Amino acid sequence: KNIKGLVTYLKGTTPKEGFYQSKVVKKRQDFSGRSTITPDPKLGAREIGVPKAVAYGMYKPFLIREFKNQGYSAEDAEKEIKNKTMKADEKLKQVAERRPVLYNRAPSLHRFSIMAAMPKLHDGKDLRINPLYLKNFNAD
């Protein structure tokens, strides 16, 4: 009989096919955003202008955690974020102040193509970086 036990189900037939590997480890974590790059001389060297719409997508899990810590349910937190209420805006600003953004321009040929900066939220659709970094990212 070809009956699989619990251990076989968890372990899998090969190391890449087990429950832990396929369901837990390979779960997609999509905290990324795409946009056009524009220069903004008002930004500091360690700042990047991130659109609020992109920031809501990137920081959504962290925003839900903040709302849950205040006693909201996950569904209520999702509604607050989806409706972009004043509370959600405040939480987004708080979370963005503590978490830097990694940014790069494809193709990333070496590790120096990836940089970190603190986000400055703005309305709009473009990523804004200091003009000093335009040449580095081939963003002309």
Side-chain angles (χ1 to χ4, degrees):
K1 295 180 181 179
N2 191 8
I3 299 174
K4 292 185 178 179
L6 179 63
V7 175
T8 309
Y9 174 70
L10 293 175
K11 186 178 83 168
T13 55
T14 65
K16 298 286 184 179
E17 293 178 2
F19 175 80
Y20 179 77
Q21 182 72 25
S22 65
K23 301 288 190 252
V24 180
V25 175
K26 285 191 177 178
K27 188 174 182 182
R28 281 188 55 116
Q29 300 294 327
D30 192 18
F31 304 139
S32 63
R34 297 173 55 109
S35 187
T36 58
I37 300 171
T38 57
D40 187 359
K42 296 176 188 171
L43 290 173
R46 297 188 182 259
E47 295 176 341
I48 182 170
V50 178
K52 281 187 181 179
V54 173
Y56 271 112
M58 288 184 343
Y59 290 121
K60 186 176 180 180
F62 306 108
L63 291 172
I64 291 173
R65 182 190 311 153
E66 290 289 324
F67 276 114
K68 285 178 74 175
N69 288 343
Q70 281 195 340
Y72 285 79
S73 67
E75 293 84 20
D76 292 338
E78 292 260 356
K79 287 178 188 175
E80 292 278 336
I81 295 167
K82 183 178 178 185
N83 296 333
K84 296 181 173 78
T85 62
M86 294 290 286
K87 290 180 183 178
D89 277 344
E90 291 173 18
K91 294 286 180 204
L92 180 63
K93 288 177 185 174
Q94 291 173 2
V95 170
E97 285 177 0
R98 295 191 310 256
R99 297 188 175 273
V101 173
L102 294 175
Y103 65 102
N104 74 331
R105 185 178 182 277
S108 300
L109 301 176
H110 47 73
R111 65 182 176 168
F112 302 113
S113 294
I114 301 171
M115 297 185 72
M118 295 307 290
K120 295 291 178 187
L121 304 176
H122 68 85
D123 297 322
K125 296 183 178 181
D126 57 335
L127 286 174
R128 299 178 183 171
I129 61 174
N130 191 303
L132 293 172
Y133 297 113
L134 288 178
K135 182 94 171 163
N136 298 346
F137 285 101
N138 204 13
D140 40 7

